[in-house]
Amino acid sequence: MDRKPEKRITLLWFIQASIVAGIVSSITTGILSVFNQGFSANVLILFLTIGNILAAVHTVYRYRSWKYEIKKDHIYLEHGVLVKIKTMVPFVRIQHVDTQKSILDRLLGVSSVVVYTAGSRGSDVSIPGVIPREGEDLQDDLKNRAVESEDRDGV
Amino acid sequence: MKLSRLTIPYTGLKNLSYIFFVLIFSGSFSLREPNIGSLTIISVTVGALMALSFLWSYLTWKNYSYWIDEDTLRIKQGVLRKQNRRIPKKRIQNVDIKRNIVQRALGISQVKLETAGGGETEATLSYLEFEDAQRLRRQLRQREKQEGSIENENDEPIYKISDKELALLSLTSIDLRQALGIIVLFGIVPSFFGGYLEEAEISLMVGTSIILVTLTILTFFSSIVSTFLQYWGFKLYKKENSLEYERGLLNRSEGSIPLNKIQRVTMEENVLKRMIGYSSLKIDTAGYSPGESMEKGSEAAIPMAKKQKSMNLANDIAGIKKIELESIGESAKLRYTARYLIVSTLIIAALFQTDTGVKLEIISVLSLAGVSVIAARLKWSNKGFAAGKNHCVTLNGFWNRSTNFIPYFRVQNLIETQSILQKRLELASVDIDTAGTGNLLNKTVAVDLEKKQAEKFREEVFQKFKQSLK
């Protein structure tokens, strides 16, 4: 059964994307104003508008692309807008599982579940926007499955 | 057990040489007008520094001890800050013994231990008597509770570099891409300086040519010499449960890696090696992997052997069998051609813009297009993948072709990626993540498979991975 992050995580993603858009717009406007020898507020507003529209579109696609599933013997994650990433993490390879909450996460009342393996990109396996209680259940569940197969870490 | 007593004078002098370097540097200012006063100050400082340096070396030596306690290596060290370390024997990946030329004369050596995780060497013991170092390595290699088993010390190496192989290895260690770069520079530089050359009566062109040629020769020469020194007398032994190598003319290295820690085997053949039908083998453990650093790169591997011999050795070491590789997606050719065409167009456009005298002739444009098609074709044909019986295989690279073999039971994660550009051509890549590939530039990826191929490959690798756990 596919699962998706909680919808409210999109707010956090949009804020992040919007901040990036803001920074990029300011820099571009800055460079332009040096070339044109003059700062124009209209240009900045234009860039910010385009940037925020792009941020919103990106957030929508980002949310659409996200899904994860706890399968019989592995975790399956699928996400990514520009680069679509599908990850399979076998339970036997799980080293440990964290739940994390950033300040914004806490405001939204969600947390992330981060799964570590001995692989080089183990910490890339992170499930955002999980309701904290479910997150802890998930953490316990994964931890138990990992323990069943101890000493098989492939290192 | 203690470190060698010779450690005291050796490290004492070594520390001192650093200090002297600083002193000479600063002294050269104050000694311009020598007088009795300044000379006394200098000799007193030097004397005090020497005493301090040797005292420190002595204290370090005095406070350092190591021993093997059942299945754990224990190290106690530290003068001001005490440290007590326990490293389980079964967690140790590689053990290396290094001796530079001075250390060889003194009969001491450095022992380096690698465990999984972390980029740095886990423990470095500097310095042990050479015999002690070898004994320590043997003890660490022995599996739990096997102290009594007698090692067969004088068995034959499974591989020993021959003079011919060493010569060929040194000569093919150069990277042809550098030569190609130089040729391209030759093409561009004169056109850049075209205007000035006439004024300077061509001497500039001769000048740049001489510099470029000298640089090329120097780079190639240093690469040849360093490879020669590094691999002189290379020997590889296969012991009960580990591989052991020794090598080096001036600086000797020897070491061992447990066979049950092998994460990946890589067969490398650059263009030159392919032309003469040779290849080399490299082995990754979770302790370190090729490409991590120059020196660490090719430990415990086969530096140079005829392709067939390499394959046989790979089979001997890790049970690797020759396997027919599958081609990657047809449409990848299109992708590479487009990529090269765009890059070459941009270069031409830039040259054209900067008014360097490059003329847009139809013939040069056509030939660039031709080169792009051929280059793309070569890139495509030097890629492949396969899900073998015990290993999954990926092949990448024209200039430096490398074939990676990963045993299924080493797989950590499987990651399939598809960028927007790949999506258009219905391509996808599969990244096989192991604990060995800590270096992100050194991943094992099957690039640009057809979407269906990629899905099938990922599923197949996963199924075989599951079987391998049983």
Side-chain angles (χ1 to χ4, degrees), chain B residues 128-241:
Chain B
L128 267 64
E129 302 273 351
F130 185 48
E131 289 76 34
D132 285 348
Q134 282 182 317
R135 189 180 318 130
L136 178 64
R137 197 188 67 186
R138 270 203 301 278
Q139 285 171 336
L140 291 176
R141 204 187 52 222
Q142 268 158 5
R143 304 290 279 154
E144 302 80 35
K145 313 269 191 233
Q146 268 188 3
E147 298 291 320
S149 72
I150 293 151
E151 284 280 345
N152 191 2
E153 278 308 323
N154 37 1
D155 52 1
E156 283 295 300
I158 57 168
Y159 171 82
K160 190 178 166 210
I161 200 162
S162 70
D163 294 346
K164 187 182 162 198
E165 282 164 344
L166 182 59
L168 288 173
L169 172 68
S170 309
L171 290 172
T172 54
S173 69
I174 59 181
D175 192 340
L176 267 194
R177 269 173 294 188
Q178 290 169 348
L180 201 73
I182 303 279
I183 293 170
V184 172
L185 274 180
F186 264 128
I188 294 172
V189 167
S191 53
F192 259 118
F193 295 105
Y196 310 100
L197 282 180
E198 280 161 34
E199 289 168 35
E201 288 165 12
I202 227 144
S203 62
L204 191 61
M205 184 175 175
V206 177
T208 41
S209 315
I210 290 172
I211 292 170
L212 286 178
V213 170
T214 327
L215 272 179
T216 325
I217 292 173
L218 274 179
T219 328
F220 286 175
F221 188 70
S222 67
S223 153
I224 290 170
V225 171
S226 71
T227 312
F228 182 84
L229 292 177
Q230 207 178 336
Y231 287 102
W232 191 87
F234 186 99
K235 280 190 199 119
L236 187 74
Y237 298 89
K238 192 183 170 191
K239 295 285 164 76
E240 199 181 336
N241 46 32

Side-chain angles (χ1 to χ4, degrees), chain A residues 72-74 76 81-90 92-93 117-122 151-155, chain B residues 93 116 263 409-420 431 433 437 440 443 451 455 458 462 465-466 469:
Chain A
K72 196 169 100 266
D73 43 20
H74 66 279
Y76 178 81
V81 181
L82 294 176
V83 180
K84 193 158 189 130
I85 300 169
K86 298 176 181 173
T87 316
M88 291 166 102
V89 188
V92 268
R93 291 304 190 232
T117 66
S120 49
R121 268 141 300 152
D151 229 24
R152 308 231 56 170
D153 53 7
V155 183
Chain B
Q93 303 263 349
Q263 293 277 345
F409 57 92
R410 292 301 183 199
V411 173
Q412 292 280 347
N413 300 313
L414 284 171
I415 305 151
E416 185 187 320
T417 58
Q418 186 181 43
S419 71
I420 278 199
D431 183 342
D433 193 18
T437 49
L440 284 184
K443 313 190 278 193
K451 185 78 185 78
E455 246 150 52
R458 173 164 60 91
F462 187 71
F465 155 75
K466 278 199 319 201
L469 291 174

Side-chain angles (χ1 to χ4, degrees), chain B residues 306-319:
Chain B
K306 275 251 160 57
K307 181 137 185 185
Q308 189 51 46
K309 195 171 151 195
S310 286
M311 264 337 270
N312 293 342
L313 285 162
N315 187 12
D316 193 13
I317 292 166

